[in-house]
Each structure stands twice: as C-alpha cells, then as structure tokens.
Amino acid sequence: MSFHRPFVKSAGMALAVVLLGGFTQEPAVSSTLRSASGAPLAPGDVAPGRLYSRDATENLGKGLVSVSNPASPKQPLPAPIAPETRRSKSTVLHVAPRSAATELVLPIDTPEDAWVMVIPKANDPKVGEEALRDVKMFDARGLRADQRAARAGKDQLGMDAARTKAEAISAPIAMMRLNKEMGRGGYKLQVGAKAAAVGMAVEVRVPSSSIELSLTSSAMQLFPGDDGYVTVGLQSAEKVDHVRYEATLYTPRFERDRTVPVVKVGNEYRAQVSRAMNEKDEPGAWVLEVRAVGSAGGVDFDRLAQTAFGFAVPTARIASAGKARLVREPGGKVTALELDVVLDSVALDRYEVSGTLVAADAQGVERPVAEAQVTDLLGAGTHTLTLRFEAGHAGLSKLDGSYSLRGLQLYSLGTNTLYHRIGKGLDLRMPAVRASELAAAELTPAIESMKSAGEFDLGQ
C-alpha cells in the first residue's frame, strides 16, 4: 500500500533543488542525536523491527537530491493515514460456477429493512437473467418469498416492475427487500441446476440488526515477524450465545492465499497477521477477510468484513535525528534550516527522508510552514541525510520562534513503500529565529499564486 506524498508536488512547486555546501553554519543547538529506538508511536506511525537484506532493482537513479517547498499555514497539518475500523452488518455467500444444484441457508436475525441480492457470475446479462429464474427463496416460515421481496425491492428503488418486449435485460441481478412479517431465522435459497452451473454470489444485508462485526488493524503498515494484528470485534445488543471466526488473507492481486489464526488476547480477539506472513511475501496492499458465524438471542447470524493494510519487507530504518542548525549567508541572513537524519540500511535502495516544519501561532496552534525531502541511492551501512528547509519558505508565514519537526518519515523509492514514520519527529526543534532574520524567498509563479490566494495570511 502506498502512503507516499509526491516527492516534487509539481513543476511549479519544485522550488529549490539544491547542492549542499558553501554556507557558513552556526553551531548546532545540540551536538547529540536523538535515538528513534523506542520513540512513542502515534496513530499512523510505523516502525520496523527486523531489517531484511533485499536489494531494490527499480527506481535506482543515482545522486543526492534535496528539495524544499513552502507550506500554507492556513491549511492544517495533514493527519497521517491511520487505521480505520471497518464495520459490517452483511455477509456474502458463493455458489461456484459449474456447481450442482444446492440450497443455501441465509441467517436473518433482523428482517426489517433487510436485503438479499443474488448476483449471477456471468458476463452475458441474458445468461444471468435466465439463471435468476432458477433461484427461489423461502422465508423463516417456509413460505416462498422471492417474488414478494423482489417487488418490494423494486418499489423501494423506484423501479418499474413492468417491461416491454423491446426492452433488453430488466433484471441482471435480483434485489429482494424483506420485512418483519417474513420472520427471523434461516431463509432457504434454492439454487437450481441452471443457476448453479452459472454460479451465484448472494449478499445479505441486515442494517437494522444490532449485531456488527468490526475490524481494526494495529497499523496501516505491517512487517513480517512483528506483532502486527487486526482486532476482531463483535457488538450485539443481545447476548452472543457462541461465535466462530474464520480469517483469510488475499494477496495484492486479490488472490485467496492462506488462513490466519484468530486468537483471544486479554478481552479481545486478534487475527495474528504478521505472524502468518514472512519476508518472501509480496509487498503491497493485502486484504484480510473475516467471517463471524454464531448465534445471539437464540437466532443464527453470519457477518463478513474486509480490511486492507500495507505489507512491507523493510531494509532500512531511522536510527536517530538531530543536530538542528541555522545556515547563514555572510551578511548574517538565515538561508536555510537544517537537520540530520541517520539511517541504518542493510540493502541497496533509493531512500527518501521527508519532514515538515511547524510553528506555533498566537493561540499555540501548530501551523505548517515548510516541507523538505532528501533522497539518495544508498547501500548497506549507516548513512546521514540532511533535511534542508529554505528559510524563505518558512518566512512566508511570518511566524517566528523555534520551529519544530513533524512527520519525519523514511520511504523506499525502489519498492514504493513506507518503512518508518515518527509523527512528532522526535520532538526536534530548530534554533529560535526571528522571521526578520530569514532570507527572502524567490518569488516563483507557484509562490505568487499562493500569496494571491492569501495562503500565507493568518490575519494576525
């Protein structure tokens, strides 16, 4: 999964590609570097454990490139992509193509406003419509319900049930709306031979039910061997009599791959994803699918939910950062604010380090003032990359004081993968400086456009 902010936002915003050196630096605030080991992680942060020696083979252009861009203090500091909780009051059952005639039992715990959708697995809509005629549904009382439910569904959707001979296909899928009178319990869906040969996907939605399955990943990016997991939650207004969880992983190509154990840890259930994966697995966006089958209040239920997460095989990490300093020209004006980031690498790759400078406004709210990225082709070993923020970019905000680093992250350009992110940037601060000390920014068309739009005017 890619979480990468473009290295150069646009040709107009590529404001300063600089070769380092040639300036007089004043002494650093501190001669020490702050270790990233054990740094507290906020939602959206990731930190690799073990590193794997796997050289990248793509996007390996040579040479160090450093870029600085202004940021609008009127815009809030972008929130990191944090794990979201996926919730489900639905399930999906499948009849594989070329199957024999079969009967499915659909657990309906709350028929009010419930929907059953039957979708043929056919590319030809005429074949699909013909297959749907071979499907019948009976409600919890044993009464045939598909025709009544289909009419209710069309009424709810504002569809005209009638059709003329000139119309082509009127029902490529069956959408059936249930009601309370049909009862709670197991609905039987009879799939005849013709329908089973085509194959069917049957989706059941029960929006009024109190039974809800939820999935929450421990992080947006997981690594092999680490304690990465997905929390599996089940909420119900009625007492859950029993429940069984089944978890399955799908590759970035959405191919069914393997099962994942769901275990109870303390008071919650977890799908132990990282323990089921290894360094040979493909980096990218994986999907975890969890099915919860059980009963509550004496009525069976079936819930299915999916959530996606990034998987990476890390080859480097941020070891430390610090030595913040001001860079002055001979006349005394500050031309840049610099900060060193030390990386530990065990493989060849083109790595990118990025971060955002923020300043506090009169109310103490942090405002972004400048962004910087630096990238270089690095092999195994310990390396230092310097984030260089152009002073003129920070000065456009007219906010002074001690700027802080936020959103420090390490990215692999060779694999298009985030390896390390520390949102608070180890709480690193630049030396205090007045806005009047900062050299003026070159007025490029991009900056002039931002100024015309009032992006640097806080009205203070």
Side-chain angles (χ1 to χ4, degrees), residues 184-208:
R184 304 171 70 197
Y187 285 49
K188 294 181 180 180
L189 193 76
Q190 293 181 353
V191 183
K194 184 176 293 186
V198 172
M200 295 285 163
V202 183
E203 182 174 359
V204 180
R205 299 181 183 180
V206 280
S208 298

Side-chain angles (χ1 to χ4, degrees), residues 52-56 315-316 345-351 378-381 383:
Y52 297 84
S53 181
R54 177 189 288 184
D55 289 347
T315 62
S345 168
V346 297
L348 178 71
D349 200 342
R350 187 164 187 85
Y351 297 107
L378 306 172
H383 310 275

Side-chain angles (χ1 to χ4, degrees), residues 413-452:
L413 296 180
T415 62
N416 195 33
T417 306
L418 176 68
Y419 281 167
H420 205 162
R421 186 183 191 281
I422 307 173
K424 288 295 184 180
L426 299 177
D427 283 325
L428 294 170
R429 291 179 176 272
M430 292 290 180
V433 62
R434 295 186 179 89
S436 59
E437 296 181 75
L438 304 177
E442 178 185 354
L443 292 181
T444 65
I447 289 181
E448 289 180 342
S449 177
M450 293 178 71
K451 292 185 71 172
S452 297

